[in-house]
Amino acid sequence: MRLLIKNGTIVNADKSIEADVLCENGKIIEIEKNLKPKIVADKVIDATNNYVIPGGIDPHVHMHLPSPAGFSSDDFLTGSKAALAGGTTTFIDFVTPKKGQLLDEAIKERKLEASDCLINYSFHVSPIEWRDTIANEIKNCISNYGYISFKVYMAYKSNIGLDDDVLLKVMKTVAEAGGLLVVHCELGDEIEEIRNDFARKGKLSHKYHPLSRPSLLEAEAVKKAIDMAEETSCPLYIVHVSSSKSLKYISEAKKRGQTVYAETCPQYLLLDNTKYKENFNNSAAYIMSPPLREEEDNEALWKAISNGTINTLGTDHCPFTLEQKSAGKNDFRNIPNGAGGVEHRLTLLYTYGVLTKKITLNQFVALTSTNAAKIFQMYPSKGLIEIGSDADITIWDQKKVSKISSKTHKQNCDLNIYENIKIQGEPRFTIKNGEIINQSLYL
Ligand code: URP
Ligand code: ZN
Ligand code: ZN
């Protein structure tokens, strides 16, 4: 398959140029202004007035995540359709073993679950406990599968979260293996205490979810993770940063020269905790961890993505239906945590970041694709429009205006935390490995 993209503006993280792009066998083989290919293309896209950008890379999604209220409502098939509809051609999900299960066995199981995924995918692998063999298991993830990132949780201590002594050992091990530690930063024991205290006092409505997870406990976890990573020389990637207090520690660590990367998500830039003031049915979609914060946090995060303190925009895509959320109608501790967003990441950042001039178009590409490609060792195959790179390309129509709605989205969920939000810009075509993904596939 040979695909020629004509008359577009190629936007990379470092520069934008007017040029045509020729793809063959899944790779970009020529880039030139007014390209006259020696070979005949099977398909030509006229990208006049469109941006030609590297396919989005979402470094943080949870498809088919088990919870006591059932699996998150997007599986790898429906979730990847939604991702494509939003211009994302690669995502990174998670391998979370059961207690006692070998990482290798858990990876094999998860790969089967992902076998109908329509886009490129990789995994962060979670060591959820310590055992003698774990160092070798971690090394094998890198050498056998090329999975270089390992996800640990400082919260959720009753099932997958790690105590500090284990966290320290995992950090040492990951550092020695040449990997990267991905971390959910919230102090689990303190949160558990607050949750149980609320429960004892009969404070069980959804309104207590955000109160049980204050931003200070995120920031203190961020500080602790950074300190431990420094002690063990372990490269660190902090997921879903939601609070301005956390940013202070991240920025100080970066200034000291420590390898610390940070991610935020559109919900923490655009939404705030007033969403929890509504009744259960109208608030349930927003129950996630960390919870939505204050407007000041939104503003601080916008500054942080613009000045480089935050490196990537993930979604933490983890939707649950209203019926699933209702498992916790009478006790907030039973509400499955998470919300969808894989479909809207690019358009939200474009509309509310680029069009408002908070970030440049090149930063938009860096935040949605290039930086994740570099951090997770996919660059320059991915995250770049260049000769020799993979032909994962989004043709971005910067004029298209619409509104987000659960009635029209491709995500498999009756809830959408961005319901009714206006957006401008959407993919005209999403191209994965040189193939235009037929729009009908995700209609
Ligand atoms: O509420 C959330 N974020 N659910 C997904 C799991 C996680 O903590 O990332
Ligand atoms: Zn998390
Ligand atoms: Zn997550």
Side-chain angles (χ1 to χ4, degrees):
M1 164 82 178
R2 283 184 203 127
L3 172 68
L4 176 62
I5 304 164
K6 285 193 72 65
N7 307 322
T9 303
I10 299 173
V11 184
N12 276 317
D14 58 345
K15 62 177 186 300
S16 310
I17 56 163
E18 314 279 322
D20 303 337
V21 180
L22 183 65
C23 311
E24 187 179 35
N25 298 330
K27 295 276 179 199
I28 297 171
I29 59 161
E30 273 188 81
I31 296 182
E32 208 178 290
K33 202 166 167 76
N34 301 321
L35 180 68
K36 305 259 176 309
K38 293 166 211 82
I39 43 173
V40 182
D42 303 298
K43 170 95 191 155
V44 180
I45 293 177
D46 181 358
T48 304
N49 294 328
N50 294 158
Y51 298 131
V52 179
I53 58 176
I57 301 174
D58 189 335
H60 188 164
V61 301
H62 302 271
M63 303 302 166
H64 196 66
L65 174 92
S67 90
F71 290 97
S72 57
S73 59
D74 265 317
D75 57 21
F76 281 87
L77 179 63
T78 62
S80 59
K81 283 183 188 176
L84 283 166
T88 287
T89 51
T90 301
F91 56 50
I92 313 182
D93 203 294
F94 298 83
V95 173
T96 313
K98 296 174 199 75
K99 290 261 186 224
Q101 189 180 32
L102 294 175
L103 299 185
D104 187 70
E105 197 186 304
I107 289 172
K108 288 190 172 118
E109 273 181 25
R110 195 70 173 143
K111 277 170 78 103
L112 279 181
E113 288 177 352
S115 57
D116 53 4
C117 187
L118 297 171
I119 66 172
N120 308 296
Y121 67 88
S122 183
F123 293 120
H124 309 291
V125 182
S126 280
I128 60 157
E129 61 202 336
W130 186 257
R131 54 177 168 261
D132 291 346
T133 56
I134 208 83
N136 269 336
E137 292 179 53
I138 284 174
K139 278 187 204 133
N140 287 342
C141 290
I142 300 178
S143 55
N144 295 350
Y145 297 98
Y147 299 151
I148 55 108
S149 48
F150 299 87
K151 169 79 181 286
V152 295
Y153 298 82
M154 295 171 81
Y156 312 139
K157 290 278 198 81
S158 58
N159 45 29
I160 52 176
L162 298 184
D163 285 325
D164 292 352
D165 57 332
V166 178
L167 178 54
L168 201 68
K169 286 199 267 191
V170 169
M171 279 190 182
K172 258 189 210 147
T173 309
V174 168
E176 276 163 22
L180 170 68
L181 198 86
V182 175
V183 58
H184 172 131
C185 289
E186 284 186 300
L187 292 184
D189 292 335
E190 286 79 350
I191 287 171
E192 214 41 43
E193 246 176 64
I194 304 175
R195 277 155 64 92
N196 293 337
D197 189 49
F198 279 147
R200 269 194 302 276
K201 293 175 176 150
K203 296 179 170 178
L204 289 169
S205 92
H206 67 275
K207 297 192 167 113
Y208 292 98
H209 169 78
L211 300 177
S212 71
R213 312 185 87 95
S215 56
L216 189 66
L217 293 185
E218 175 188 311
E220 284 182 7
V222 164
K223 180 179 182 323
K224 187 187 243 185
I226 288 173
D227 288 349
M228 288 167 115
E230 188 174 34
E231 191 185 323
T232 54
S233 305
C234 184
L236 197 65
Y237 177 94
I238 302 171
V239 293
H240 52 44
V241 175
S242 71
S243 126
S244 68
K245 294 186 190 82
S246 304
L247 291 170
K248 177 179 165 288
Y249 297 118
I250 294 164
S251 143
E252 283 170 4
K254 283 180 183 242
K255 280 190 192 128
R256 286 198 303 272
Q258 198 178 332
T259 305
V260 175
Y261 306 107
E263 166 200 281
T264 193
C265 312
Q267 57 268 35
Y268 301 119
L269 291 168
L270 296 170
L271 307 175
D272 63 60
N273 56 13
T274 53
K275 296 288 181 198
Y276 301 118
K277 290 197 170 131
E278 302 278 326
N279 62 29
F280 179 85
N281 283 3
N282 291 332
S283 290
Y286 304 93
I287 300 294
M288 61 184 78
S289 295
L292 300 174
R293 306 293 192 192
E294 309 285 336
E295 256 181 63
E296 296 92 86
D297 294 292
N298 300 155
E299 280 160 31
L301 287 164
W302 276 116
K303 280 204 190 101
I305 66 164
S306 147
N307 69 23
T309 306
I310 295 279
N311 304 90
T312 61
L313 190 74
T315 56
D316 199 6
H317 179 85
C318 189
F320 291 97
T321 63
L322 182 58
E323 194 187 340
Q324 291 177 300
K325 293 272 183 187
S326 299
K329 197 162 189 156
N330 300 318
D331 185 339
F332 73 91
R333 294 172 300 173
N334 298 329
I335 306 172
N337 281 204
V342 74
E343 187 174 337
H344 311 304
R345 187 176 64 111
L346 271 69
T347 189
L348 288 169
L349 190 64
Y350 183 77
T351 308
Y352 294 98
V354 178
L355 295 181
T356 59
K357 301 202 168 10
K358 288 190 174 81
I359 56 167
T360 65
L361 198 53
N362 303 98
Q363 283 180 302
F364 165 71
V365 167
L367 286 156
T368 56
S369 182
T370 312
N371 291 353
K374 287 181 176 169
I375 293 167
F376 296 106
Q377 296 183 18
M378 300 172 185
Y379 189 85
S381 296
K382 303 205 181 294
L384 180 68
I385 307 282
E386 185 51 279
I387 294 171
S389 292
D390 293 350
D392 289 345
I393 300 171
T394 297
I395 310 289
W396 191 255
D397 174 351
Q398 66 265 44
K399 291 275 179 298
K400 190 75 194 276
V401 173
S402 59
K403 255 187 193 174
I404 294 177
S405 166
S406 60
K407 305 271 183 308
T408 51
H409 70 193
K410 311 296 181 290
Q411 298 172 160
N412 181 38
C413 194
D414 56 351
L415 301 173
N416 192 314
I417 55 172
Y418 305 109
E419 191 70 40
N420 248 336
I421 286 188
K422 279 194 196 142
I423 41 170
Q424 180 175 332
E426 66 172 34
R428 231 181 100 211
F429 297 101
T430 306
I431 297 156
K432 188 206 122 195
N433 300 339
E435 301 278 336
I436 300 172
I437 305 296
N438 191 334
Q439 305 280 334
S440 66
L441 192 66
Y442 46 78
L443 286 178

